[in-house]
Amino acid sequence: MKRILYLGYYLKNLDWKKLQSFLEYASKKTKKTKISLLGDAFYSVFKYNISILEYFQFRFFEQNTEQRKTWAGTGYMFEYQLTMNPKKERIILDDKRRFFKEYQKYFVHQVASLEEMKNNPEVIQQLLNNPSGKIVFKVSDGKCGIAVQVAKAKDFDVKSIVPFMEKNQFDMIEEFIVQHSELNKLSPSGVNTVRIFTQLDKNNEVILLGCRQRISVNSSVDNMAAGNMAAVIDENSGKIIDAGIYSDITKNEEIIHPITNVSIIGFQVPFWNETIKMVKEAAILHPQNRSIGWDIVITENGPGFIEGNHDWCKLLWQLPAKKGLKSLLKPHSK
């Protein structure tokens, strides 16, 4: 019954244009008919607890039964993350204002809520005078870069900024982050964040499930959903060890950045030891949330948090690794 409900959800939210593109690609690749591929995709929704699009993104059309079993899809991850991060506890991660309050010592940029700005005009002045000259408007429960607006600080003053936020339903503001110069060489179009997935074991020891470098491609955001890449970072060295991968299966992987021509493989993420230390410390602060996807910015002054995700992305986790990683989660399932 659960998976019937999941299918309804997938159909309701399905990107039909993307599905058509993926079908065309998979049909040409395998010489199979679109009808047979769709039939297999719907079968896989029930058999492997994945979404319709994930059938293509995980390249199930090229895989056997044993390979398919290794992938963690939307249905599986929803159930897993609900267990690891209970609804009553995940508010710490869901609300960006609460997240900043709980993990403030790990931030390298200024953040303020609309309420704080109303009560303290000095906070507004500090944000407007930040070194980047830009500010970022957000909503506290926004996901995947949705409801984000970057603006020039000089376009606002103490009197105009609060009414602007109220009119446009923004309840948070942040200092625009200037990323490390090495990351800027790799891709200057957007702030390229690191995602690290952590899991607490039964002894509350921190396990790293994976480290990924998001890489913007002529985009102001770095999410894979917006057409950008991600690559695997070696957790020990902090170096990228494989090509950049898109979630769009019709695009080829990239060894060299297509815009800047900087090599992706071998790229050294700055301040790596400090980044790992920060994440491991933060992961045990609130052990009621046991499995978190941390978004981290690397600046000239070191690493800092952007946010923590209780419903972290299975595509960003598995696609750059080019294999299913469900086996890493099974030891922690209750």
Side-chain angles (χ1 to χ4, degrees):
M1 176 58 73
K2 238 188 228 182
R3 298 192 186 184
I4 293 174
L5 293 175
Y6 291 168
L7 176 60
Y9 172 81
Y10 302 147
L11 289 170
K12 180 183 177 183
N13 295 281
L14 186 59
D15 184 332
W16 293 93
K17 185 177 180 181
K18 188 175 288 185
L19 175 62
Q20 182 61 38
S21 172
F22 287 179
L23 264 175
E24 291 276 358
Y25 174 86
S27 181
K28 289 179 181 178
K29 190 86 173 170
T30 63
K31 310 302 180 187
K32 295 177 182 177
T33 66
K34 293 179 184 177
I35 292 296
S36 67
L37 287 167
L38 270 179
D40 193 27
F42 277 87
Y43 167 78
S44 295
V45 167
F46 291 95
K47 178 69 174 176
Y48 303 106
N49 210 3
I50 66 168
S51 75
I52 297 167
L53 286 183
E54 284 163 4
Y55 170 85
F56 298 95
Q57 290 164 325
F58 295 163
R59 304 188 78 91
F60 271 25
F61 52 86
E62 296 177 328
Q63 296 180 20
N64 60 35
T65 300
E66 291 307 309
Q67 290 171 316
R68 292 179 176 194
K69 288 179 181 177
T70 65
W71 291 85
T74 293
Y76 178 87
M77 291 303 300
F78 173 76
E79 295 163 10
Y80 182 82
Q81 290 164 338
L82 199 58
T83 300
M84 292 296 116
N85 310 312
K87 282 187 176 180
K88 66 178 182 178
E89 306 294 354
R90 55 176 59 175
I91 183 64
I92 295 173
L93 305 171
D94 241 350
D95 188 319
K96 290 181 173 62
R97 297 166 298 185
R98 180 75 179 273
F99 181 79
F100 177 69
K101 181 180 178 181
E102 299 293 343
Y103 297 96
Q104 186 172 356
K105 70 175 182 176
Y106 301 115
F107 275 66
V108 291
H109 68 296
Q110 188 177 2
V111 178
S113 67
L114 180 60
E115 201 61 36
E116 289 171 325
M117 296 169 70
K118 287 180 178 178
N119 296 331
N120 189 354
E122 288 183 8
V123 171
I124 299 176
Q125 202 60 60
Q126 289 171 5
L127 280 159
L128 293 178
N129 292 334
N130 83 77
S132 73
K134 297 179 188 177
I135 46 179
V136 183
F137 298 105
K138 291 185 176 182
V139 294
S140 56
D141 59 353
K143 300 285 185 182
C144 300
I146 296 171
V148 173
Q149 183 175 332
V150 179
K152 294 179 180 178
K154 67 178 183 180
D155 292 339
F156 298 89
D157 57 31
V158 173
K159 291 183 178 179
S160 66
I161 196 165
V162 168
F164 173 84
M165 291 176 69
E166 290 177 328
K167 179 181 178 182
N168 293 279
Q169 298 183 316
F170 293 116
D171 58 5
M172 277 190 70
I173 186 172
E174 296 184 2
E175 168 189 349
F176 182 84
I177 301 168
V178 178
Q179 68 183 346
H180 194 281
S181 57
E182 289 301 308
L183 284 161
N184 215 48
K185 290 175 186 175
L186 177 65
S187 182
S189 62
V191 176
N192 302 281
T193 58
V194 170
R195 166 67 66 86
I196 298 180
F197 307 94
T198 61
Q199 174 71 49
L200 296 183
D201 67 12
K202 62 182 180 180
N203 298 315
N204 283 345
E205 294 292 329
V206 181
I207 295 170
L208 299 184
L209 298 174
C211 309
R212 308 288 179 258
Q213 177 68 61
R214 288 195 184 98
I215 305 168
S216 60
V217 183
N218 202 25
S219 173
S220 60
V221 297
D222 63 356
N223 306 86
M224 291 186 84
N228 299 298
M229 297 183 287
V232 174
I233 305 171
D234 176 73
E235 68 177 64
N236 296 311
S237 68
K239 288 186 177 181
I240 295 178
I241 56 174
D242 207 342
I245 303 295
Y246 297 96
S247 61
D248 183 345
I249 65 170
T250 67
K251 293 183 177 180
N252 295 324
E253 63 182 45
E254 308 277 9
I255 295 174
I256 296 173
H257 194 286
I259 306 297
T260 63
N261 292 319
V262 173
S263 179
I264 293 171
I265 297 177
F267 179 86
Q268 176 67 58
V269 180
F271 291 108
W272 188 247
N273 291 336
E274 293 85 349
T275 300
I276 293 297
K277 181 177 182 289
M278 178 182 75
V279 167
K280 287 185 174 181
E281 283 182 9
I284 59 175
L285 280 184
H286 297 283
Q288 63 269 39
N289 289 302
R290 309 193 64 77
S291 189
I292 300 175
W294 306 94
D295 286 343
I296 302 149
V297 63
I298 311 294
T299 72
E300 298 289 352
N301 296 318
F305 281 148
I306 300 292
E307 61 185 16
N309 301 273
H310 63 80
D311 53 352
W312 48 267
C313 180
K314 66 277 166 187
L315 297 182
L316 177 59
W317 183 43
Q318 295 173 109
L319 294 188
K322 302 176 188 175
K323 63 181 180 180
L325 299 174
K326 188 193 289 185
S327 63
L328 298 182
L329 304 181
K330 283 186 175 180
H332 312 289
S333 300
K334 294 181 181 178

